[in-house]
Amino acid sequence: MAKCSICGDKAIAYVPYQRRYYCRRHYAEFVESKVARTVERYRLIRRGDRVVAAVSGGKDSVTLLSTLSILRERIGFELVALHIDLGIGEYSSSSRRIVEELARMLDAELIVYDVGKTLGFTIPSASRLTRRPACSVCGAVKRYIYNSVGVELDAKVATGHNADDIIGFAMKNFIMGDLEGLSKLTPIVPGVEGLAAPRIRPLYSVYEKESFLYVLSKGLPYIHRDCPYARFTSLEFQFKEFFNKLEESRPSIKLGFLNSIARRFKALVREGPYYACSECGLLSSSSTCTFCRLTRRLTGKPLGRRVRLSVKELLDERIKG
Ligand code: SF4
Ligand code: ZN
Ligand code: ZN
């Protein structure tokens, strides 16, 4: 039986690039210290910051909220969890229940944005009506709501993208020649005053497998099922598999790749000009932002302003509550 390299207890995992075994407790500490190092190294969070953590209920976002809850005490920042109910049947209702349970366990403040109740459509209905893939509609809706909450709260938006996600996106963007997409894969994407909240990725160097083992070792609740729209044949997914194979013979090659992305891709960041959407006032690359264009096609009216107003009301309720 393999033993923990730190305390000698029964090991639950081996980390090849460190050549170390870990017991349950020390494995959790290993992941927590990885996140702490990323936060420190890339200066993602400073004392006095406000951070909105996007929590879907999947293993990565659960790892995000748990590790940030620990760092909150150490660094001294305000942490708010944000869950978006996308209206994807039983998948969304289970995710919401799990996030509520997690927030109680971690004593984290939680804001739930219910897309169906507030905007009158769900991701499945929006996908049907616009004839766009569910994930493309979903991505646009989530990004818009995260940004609205971030701008309204003057906060940084933390997402649970892990190391494998970043590598998958990087390879896909590279193949498509999407330099702007590549420039946004750094651990922190700066905000634009009043238009876009800064985005941070504290799990930048945490492998997918590590966040899975983290939630298990801490006994945290997470959603076990996959979203019915998740596709395991996408280019990103195939690149993830390819890099996992490569990592088996060359441990830490993924970490090396991520370091180069973090160091080199900043040079690709476009420094403005920045435009405000003529409908909602948030960041846009053209006169009308993606979300306002999408919702105009869907409902006949751009709904950016409505989202911003509903976010304000939700945050006002939070202050009163
Ligand atoms: Fe949204 Fe697609 Fe993820 Fe489902 S798999 S939550 S539709 S982005
Ligand atoms: Zn141990
Ligand atoms: Zn807009």
Side-chain angles (χ1 to χ4, degrees):
M1 182 189 77
K3 291 186 173 169
C4 173
S5 310
I6 298 177
C7 70
D9 275 2
K10 185 180 160 213
I12 59 145
Y14 176 65
V15 178
Y17 56 85
Q18 286 191 331
R19 297 194 186 154
R20 277 184 155 198
Y21 287 95
Y22 289 106
C23 67
R24 185 182 280 263
R25 176 163 82 91
H26 286 117
Y27 192 80
E29 286 181 12
F30 151 70
V31 174
E32 283 156 5
S33 69
K34 257 188 135 179
V35 175
R37 269 203 308 278
T38 299
V39 166
E40 195 181 320
R41 180 173 180 191
Y42 300 109
R43 299 197 182 98
L44 302 190
I45 305 173
R46 294 165 197 261
R47 175 174 287 276
D49 274 352
R50 188 176 282 151
V51 176
V52 173
V55 188
S56 64
K59 62 183 183 345
D60 298 315
S61 65
V62 169
T63 300
L64 176 76
L65 190 62
S66 170
T67 50
L68 288 186
S69 302
I70 293 167
L71 283 179
R72 168 180 56 178
E73 311 303 327
R74 205 182 306 161
I75 300 177
F77 61 91
E78 190 184 332
L79 178 64
V80 180
L82 169 65
H83 176 71
I84 303 178
D85 188 327
L86 302 162
I88 308 180
E90 183 50 31
Y91 169 76
S92 286
S93 30
S94 313
S95 305
R96 184 169 173 161
R97 275 195 302 276
I98 281 167
V99 174
E100 285 168 349
E101 186 191 341
L102 177 74
R104 271 194 302 275
M105 276 174 80
L106 299 176
D107 193 23
E109 184 184 353
L110 172 66
I111 298 170
V112 177
Y113 192 99
D114 190 321
V115 173
K117 261 197 204 149
T118 323
L119 302 177
F121 65 82
T122 60
I123 298 305
S125 71
S127 165
R128 256 193 326 272
L129 291 166
T130 57
R131 296 179 188 199
R132 277 178 55 173
C135 294
S136 134
V137 176
C138 184
V141 169
K142 286 191 293 197
R143 275 193 299 276
Y144 191 83
I145 297 172
Y146 294 151
N147 190 39
S148 300
V149 174
V151 168
E152 194 56 42
L153 279 178
D154 194 15
K156 289 174 172 166
V157 175
T159 54
H161 294 114
N162 61 42
D164 299 75
D165 295 330
I166 305 290
I167 289 173
F169 292 142
M171 291 306 296
K172 183 184 169 194
N173 287 341
F174 185 65
I175 285 203
M176 315 280 262
D178 181 355
L179 292 188
E180 193 173 348
L182 283 173
S183 75
K184 291 181 182 155
L185 293 176
T186 47
I188 179 161
V189 180
V192 182
E193 185 66 40
L195 300 181
R199 278 173 290 153
I200 56 172
R201 300 183 172 115
L203 305 192
Y204 200 78
S205 60
V206 175
Y207 292 179
E208 190 161 315
K209 189 175 148 203
E210 292 171 346
S211 80
F212 179 58
L213 273 176
Y214 177 78
V215 294
L216 293 184
S217 62
K218 297 276 281 192
L220 295 169
Y222 71 99
I223 178 109
H224 295 238
R225 63 170 77 184
D226 290 311
C227 169
Y229 296 105
R231 291 285 164 264
F232 299 102
T233 48
S234 66
L235 204 50
E236 294 100 302
F237 184 76
Q238 290 181 342
F239 275 123
K240 279 186 190 182
E241 297 225 301
F242 171 75
F243 270 85
N244 281 336
K245 276 259 162 296
L246 210 54
E247 178 91 11
E248 280 171 20
S249 53
R250 295 162 189 260
S252 92
I253 191 163
K254 292 198 293 189
L255 288 177
F257 186 22
L258 287 158
N259 282 340
S260 339
I261 297 176
R263 269 187 291 121
R264 307 267 175 221
F265 286 22
K266 264 193 296 204
L268 300 171
V269 175
R270 188 168 56 96
E271 294 289 348
Y274 301 110
Y275 305 105
C277 168
S278 57
E279 299 292 349
C280 70
L282 290 183
L283 189 69
S284 176
S285 53
S286 59
S287 64
T288 312
C289 74
T290 311
F291 182 81
C292 285
R293 272 186 280 131
L294 172 81
T295 46
R296 184 157 54 205
R297 203 168 138 200
L298 190 61
T299 67
K301 279 186 291 192
L303 297 184
R305 275 193 194 283
R306 187 181 310 170
V307 170
R308 297 195 68 186
L309 193 66
S310 57
V311 163
K312 271 199 184 91
E313 287 168 0
L314 204 58
L315 297 177
D316 284 349
E317 271 172 37
R318 157 188 180 254
I319 294 165
K320 281 186 218 145

